[in-house]
């Protein structure tokens, strides 16, 4: 959208669902900034109209260049940390009021929201790009009109330039004379973010290549999305229990159903990639596996895949489940089962000359009828969660290793992982020391050798020498809070806005200028503190995450039990326990060329094939038992 179109928006009214923040950790506000003092200068407060309009112009500019929906304006919640908007009155025949944004350093200021918007885009992307790539007027020393003409194609901007290889053209209008300069019309750019692609084509040699912009990656990281498009999750369903009322097993109940996240929504409206507060606004459209049902589900009814596992009693029953219908190789009728109730469709209007087709009867929502579709869903999910693939390839250059195949992200089993994500590791400090990495680690804290580790991923590359995917990372651990915090992470919100569990803090394990290279198989999954720290998610696991169970686990009373294993798995998501066992097999790597879509397609094909074949065998066994006189067949034709 042309920036002149921003005038149609009411920038003075921020909307909560169209407000986002530039993280404090990304700000470059300087301590040596000099704020003008005196009766002619005053600080503009956050609730003043001018303050809101500046934030609206800057937020909309960022959103415009990230291809977010622009049916309404966007606002940044506040100026980055260290920046202050100041009003200055210019005394003259007619007093004039100017506004300047201070924070860049000393007495330097941005004179308009447009000037700062270029700098704000760079701050927003700062964790993923180099320190010298900002194109604003203060970072480059160029005039704002020149920057506008190059990067946002403001219409009608013409500058004079000289072509040294051609004869000069006269400066007067008749074209006579010599030594003049010709008029050059500047090209129109499609968007400010295109400068990143331009820099990629210019940077060569030992300088680090700037990765391309992946909008989904930036939004997932910037707004700390817990559930990302395409991820495998658990969705809460109304508890389905066996028809027999005398069951004594509390685990013999279907509470959650496997699903794929399709898109986020806010207050019932699709917002595509727009951010919102997950706890009170976000809904998600999900596709339930094993059936053809899509639902809009609130954030608090979803669990990450590794936060839950089907109880053993349910797993046993879905090995050879009864089917609610006679199924065919296409499994079409079985897909009509609804784990979640849905409103009945409105009858189609009768068309003259056409006979209305009979509607297939809905399969009753019972525990017994759910076992067949759940068997399919779980089998498909297991196929997905054991495989991985790299995504969003770009060429990188390293002075020591030469040209590299680099990637922006991974599909890691059930999860979507990006560069910049915080991941849990399957190795400990003792494991790193055994790999002769001691010289790259800070001095250990007490009990450090066996403590779980976390890592912030910096790059993903294919190591030709080892023939495997590797990643570089900064390494952290969780440690009890204390009065001495020199070794804690500077960002008070934690890592990329992720907070540690209560009474814990992130402690750096590697120096700030040191990265450790590890194979991707050391990744356990994304860091996830929701099941322990979020009230709605603790409620979903109320029978598991209780103070009594946590106390018993600490005493060792739950060792070797299914309850103890499940509780350790949940605690491992927040880095409080070590992961037990590998979930993803190295040999099940899918090339970036084939990608995640091929995994989903193959999972569907294999699931249908195995389910049909197993059902045919099970049906033969049932009929054989009937012929042998062991009872009536439970099949219904």
């Amino acid at each position: 959208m042309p920036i002149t179109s921003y005038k149609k928006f009411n920038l003075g009214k921020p909307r909560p669902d169209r407000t986002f923040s530039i993280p404090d950790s990304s700000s470059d506000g300087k301590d040596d900034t000099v704020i003008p003092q005196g009766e002619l200068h005053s600080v503009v407060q956050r609730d003043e109209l001018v303050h809101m309009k500046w934030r609206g112009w800057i937020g909309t500019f960022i959103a415009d260049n990230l291809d977010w929906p622009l049916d309404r304006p966007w606002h940044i919640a506040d100026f980055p940390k260290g920046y202050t908007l100041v009003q200055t009155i210019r005394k003259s025949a007619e007093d004039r009021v100017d506004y300047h944004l201070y924070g860049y350093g000393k007495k330097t200021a941005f004179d308009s929201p447009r000037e700062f918007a270029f700098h704000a885009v760079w701050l927003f992307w700062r964790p993923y790009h180099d320190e010298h790539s900002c194109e604003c007027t203060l970072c480059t020393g160029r005039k704002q009109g020149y920057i506008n003409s190059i990067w946002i194609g403001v219409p009608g901007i013409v500058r004079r330039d000289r072509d040294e290889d051609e004869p000069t053209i006269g400066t007067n209008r008749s074209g006579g004379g010599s030594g003049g300069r010709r008029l050059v019309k500047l090209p129109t750019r499609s968007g400010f973010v295109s400068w990143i692609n331009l820099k990629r084509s210019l940077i060569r040699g030992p300088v680090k290549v700037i990765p391309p912009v992946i909008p989904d990656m930036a939004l997932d990281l910037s707004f700390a999305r817990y559930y990302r498009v395409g991820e495998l999750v658990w969705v809460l369903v109304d508890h389905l229990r066996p028809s027999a009322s005398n069951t004594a097993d509390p685990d013999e109940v279907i509470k959650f159903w496997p699903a794929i996240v399709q898109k986020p929504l806010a207050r019932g409206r699709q917002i595509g990639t727009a951010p919102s507060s997950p706890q009170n606004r976000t809904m998600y459209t999900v596709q339930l596996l094993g059936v053809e049902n899509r639902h809009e589900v609130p954030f608090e009814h979803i669990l990450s895949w590794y936060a839950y596992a089907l109880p053993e009693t349910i797993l046993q029953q879905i090995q050879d489940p009864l089917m609610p219908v006679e199924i065919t190789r296409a499994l079409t009728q079985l897909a009509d089962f609804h784990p979640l109730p849905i409103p009945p469709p409105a009858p189609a209007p009768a068309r003259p000359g056409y006979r209305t087709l009979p509607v297939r009867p809905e399969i009753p929502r019972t525990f017994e009828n759910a076992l067949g579709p759940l068997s399919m869903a779980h089998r498909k999910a297991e196929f997905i969660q054991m495989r991985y693939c790299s995504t969003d390839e770009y060429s990188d250059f390293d002075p020591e290793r030469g040209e590299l195949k680099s990637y922006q992200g991974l599909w890691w089993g059930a999860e979507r992982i990006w560069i910049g994500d915080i991941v849990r590791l399957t190795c400990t400090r003792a494991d790193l020391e055994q790999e002769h990495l001691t010289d790259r680690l800070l001095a250990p804290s007490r009990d450090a050798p066996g403590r779980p580790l976390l890592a912030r991923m910096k790059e993903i590359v294919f190591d030709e020498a080892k023939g495997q995917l590797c990643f570089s990372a900064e390494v952290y651990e969780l440690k009890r809070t204390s009065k001495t915090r020199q070794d804690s992470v500077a960002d008070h919100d934690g890592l990329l806005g992720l907070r540690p569990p209560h009474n814990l803090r992130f402690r750096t394990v590697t120096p700030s200028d040191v990265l450790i290279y590890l194979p991707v198989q050391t990744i356990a999954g994304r860091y996830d503190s929701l099941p322990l720290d979020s009230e709605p998610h603790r409620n979903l696991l109320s029978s598991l995450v209780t103070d009594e169970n946590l106390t018993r686990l600490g005493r060792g009373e739950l060792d070797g039990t299914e309850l103890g294993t499940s509780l350790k798995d949940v605690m491992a998501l927040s880095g409080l326990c070590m992961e037990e066992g590998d979930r993803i097999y190295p040999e099940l790597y899918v090339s970036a060329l084939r990608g995640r879509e091929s995994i989903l397609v193959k999972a569907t094909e294999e699931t249908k094939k195995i389910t049909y074949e197993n059902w045919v065998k099970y049906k033969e066994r049932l009929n054989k038992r009937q012929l042998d006189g062991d009872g009536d067949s439970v099949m219904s034709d």
Side-chain angles (χ1 to χ4, degrees):
M1 173 185 293
I3 58 176
T4 52
S5 300
Y6 298 175
K7 295 179 181 179
K8 72 178 183 180
F9 293 133
N10 184 357
L11 299 177
K13 288 188 177 181
R15 294 169 54 93
D17 59 337
R18 289 299 177 98
T19 301
F20 62 97
S21 300
I22 296 176
D24 290 349
S25 58
S26 295
S27 179
D28 64 345
K30 304 292 194 308
D31 295 333
D32 63 350
T33 298
V34 179
I35 305 295
Q37 305 295 326
E39 62 179 10
L40 299 180
H41 307 282
S42 61
V43 174
V44 181
Q45 301 302 316
R46 186 172 178 273
D47 58 351
E48 293 186 41
L49 182 62
V50 171
H51 200 286
M52 290 187 285
K53 285 188 173 182
W54 270 61
R55 290 188 283 117
W57 207 101
I58 294 163
T60 304
F61 182 85
I62 295 175
D64 192 4
N65 286 283
L66 295 180
D67 292 328
W68 296 351
L70 286 180
D71 53 324
R72 294 184 181 88
W74 294 80
H75 284 72
I76 55 174
D78 204 346
F79 293 117
K81 185 178 180 180
Y83 281 85
T84 304
L85 185 62
V86 176
Q87 172 186 288
T88 299
I89 298 177
R90 306 288 182 187
K91 287 292 185 180
S92 59
E94 294 183 3
D95 290 348
R96 191 183 76 183
V97 178
D98 292 334
Y99 296 92
H100 307 278
L101 187 63
Y102 288 87
Y104 191 82
K106 298 185 179 179
K107 297 182 180 181
T108 310
F110 293 95
D111 298 334
S112 69
R114 181 179 297 184
E115 285 189 5
F116 184 70
F118 285 83
H119 195 67
V121 170
W122 174 74
L123 290 179
F124 195 70
W125 291 99
R126 195 178 180 192
Y128 319 111
H129 301 300
D130 64 31
E131 296 294 316
H132 310 288
S133 54
C134 181
E135 292 290 330
C136 79
T137 180
L138 296 185
C139 287
T140 62
R142 296 170 177 167
K143 292 184 178 181
Q144 187 62 35
Y146 177 78
I147 294 172
N148 292 343
S149 65
I150 289 181
W151 297 120
I152 55 180
V154 175
I157 292 184
V158 176
R159 66 177 172 88
R160 294 183 178 274
D161 198 4
R162 173 128 181 212
D163 193 334
E164 301 292 345
D165 298 329
E166 295 181 2
T168 56
I169 304 175
T171 55
N172 59 35
R173 296 193 178 185
S174 62
S178 62
R181 292 181 295 177
R182 61 188 178 88
L183 293 176
V184 180
K185 177 72 176 180
L186 290 175
T188 299
R189 304 282 179 177
S190 59
F192 169 59
V193 188
S194 63
W195 67 265
I196 293 172
N197 293 327
L198 177 63
K199 279 186 171 289
R200 285 190 61 212
S201 65
L202 297 178
I203 297 177
R204 290 291 183 269
V207 183
K208 197 72 175 174
V209 171
I210 300 174
V213 174
I214 308 297
D216 283 345
M217 177 186 74
L219 292 165
D220 285 342
L221 296 178
S222 300
F223 306 114
R225 278 192 185 159
Y226 286 98
Y227 307 121
R228 299 171 178 178
V229 175
E231 284 193 323
L232 190 60
V233 295
W234 293 101
V235 172
L236 179 69
V237 298
D238 293 340
H239 292 189
L240 298 175
R241 298 183 180 277
S243 302
S245 58
N246 59 352
T247 177
D249 191 343
D251 287 334
E252 197 172 5
V253 56
I254 298 174
K255 299 179 182 178
F256 299 95
W257 199 278
I260 294 287
V261 176
Q262 294 205 316
K263 57 191 173 188
L265 303 112
R267 293 177 179 171
R269 300 188 321 275
Q270 184 195 352
I271 56 173
T273 54
S276 59
S277 174
Q279 282 79 358
N280 56 19
R281 275 194 291 272
T282 302
M283 303 277 289
Y284 288 88
T285 299
V286 297
Q287 169 72 60
L288 302 185
L289 296 187
V291 293
E292 295 179 353
N293 301 171
R294 292 185 184 183
H295 292 271
E296 292 181 8
V297 181
F299 169 81
E300 58 270 17
H301 287 185
I302 305 175
L303 279 176
S304 57
W305 183 254
Y306 300 120
Y308 179 77
L310 290 176
E312 189 63 33
T313 54
I314 301 296
L315 287 174
Q316 292 175 359
Q317 294 187 62
I318 64 175
Q319 295 304 312
D320 287 315
L322 293 174
M323 295 296 181
V325 292
E326 176 72 30
I327 62 173
T328 64
R329 193 177 293 273
L331 301 174
T332 51
Q333 283 183 275
L334 194 62
D336 292 336
F337 179 76
H338 299 304
L340 284 167
I342 61 174
R351 298 175 60 186
Y354 288 85
R355 186 180 62 182
T356 303
L357 296 176
V359 178
R360 282 193 302 225
E362 184 176 337
I363 303 170
R365 290 183 64 256
T366 65
F367 176 88
E368 289 75 17
N369 286 344
L371 292 176
L374 181 60
S375 174
M376 279 191 63
H378 193 261
R379 181 173 286 120
K380 182 175 181 178
E382 283 191 320
F383 186 96
I384 296 170
Q385 74 165 1
M386 290 190 298
R387 287 160 173 78
Y388 67 105
C389 68
S390 52
T391 68
D392 305 295
E393 180 181 344
Y394 67 100
S395 296
D396 203 350
F397 184 86
D398 187 277
E400 298 178 358
R401 296 175 290 175
E403 195 77 16
L404 297 174
K405 282 185 179 179
S406 298
Y407 302 90
Q408 291 280 66
L410 287 171
W411 279 111
W412 190 247
E415 296 179 325
R416 166 55 114 174
I417 296 178
W418 297 107
I419 293 174
D421 263 325
I422 309 302
V423 297
R424 312 182 314 277
L425 300 181
T426 58
C427 58
T428 63
R429 183 189 179 99
D431 296 327
L432 297 179
E433 290 174 349
Q434 288 181 2
E435 296 296 325
H436 309 293
L437 295 173
T438 306
D439 60 333
R440 306 184 71 81
L441 307 176
L442 294 172
S445 60
R446 188 170 55 183
D447 300 328
R451 189 176 294 145
L453 296 178
L454 306 171
R456 175 166 24 199
M457 300 181 66
K458 305 297 287 187
E459 64 176 347
I460 303 170
V461 299
F462 185 81
D463 192 319
E464 296 285 353
K466 297 180 179 179
Q468 63 180 358
L469 280 175
C470 296
F471 69 98
S472 64
E474 304 163 344
V475 182
Y476 303 87
E477 63 184 2
L478 289 173
K479 195 173 184 297
R480 293 285 176 188
T481 53
S482 63
K483 296 181 180 179
T484 306
R485 301 193 58 173
Q486 291 87 349
D487 56 356
S488 63
V489 178
D491 180 8
H492 68 278
D493 284 335
L495 304 178
L496 288 178
L498 299 178
R499 296 182 181 275
H502 184 61
N503 288 333
L504 293 172
R505 62 187 176 89
F506 294 113
R507 178 186 182 273
T508 53
V509 175
T510 52
S512 58
D513 59 341
V514 172
L515 299 177
I516 283 185
Y517 285 83
L518 298 169
V520 293
Q521 277 69 37
T522 57
I523 299 174
R526 280 211 325 271
Y527 175 83
D528 180 11
S529 61
L530 281 185
L532 290 178
D533 285 354
S534 165
E535 179 105 15
H537 292 79
R538 284 194 69 157
N539 290 338
L540 292 181
L541 299 171
S542 56
S543 61
L544 177 66
V545 184
T546 65
D547 293 337
E548 179 184 357
N549 287 344
L550 292 172
T551 302
R552 292 177 62 196
L553 182 68
R555 294 173 180 168
E557 298 176 6
L558 299 179
D559 291 350
T561 65
E562 184 180 352
L563 176 61
T565 300
S566 299
L567 191 53
K568 285 181 179 179
D569 286 343
V570 171
M571 295 179 67
L573 299 179
S574 299
L576 298 178
C577 285
M578 285 301 301
E579 301 287 333
E580 296 191 5
D582 297 329
R583 296 191 177 101
I584 297 176
Y585 301 99
E587 63 271 15
L588 295 182
Y589 171 69
V590 177
S591 67
L593 185 62
R594 292 169 59 196
R596 171 78 161 188
E597 191 62 34
S598 68
I599 296 178
L600 299 178
V601 171
K602 188 69 174 177
T604 301
E605 293 174 351
E606 289 294 316
T607 299
K608 286 186 176 182
K609 176 183 176 183
I610 295 173
T611 301
Y612 180 75
E613 291 176 351
N614 288 352
W615 174 235
V616 170
K617 294 176 183 177
Y618 189 43
K619 177 182 176 181
E620 290 174 353
R621 292 201 304 269
L622 291 174
N623 290 337
K624 185 174 185 301
R625 281 202 326 216
Q626 182 187 26
L627 293 175
D628 292 341
D630 287 343
D632 296 333
S633 172
V634 295
M635 274 293 303
S636 59
D637 294 327

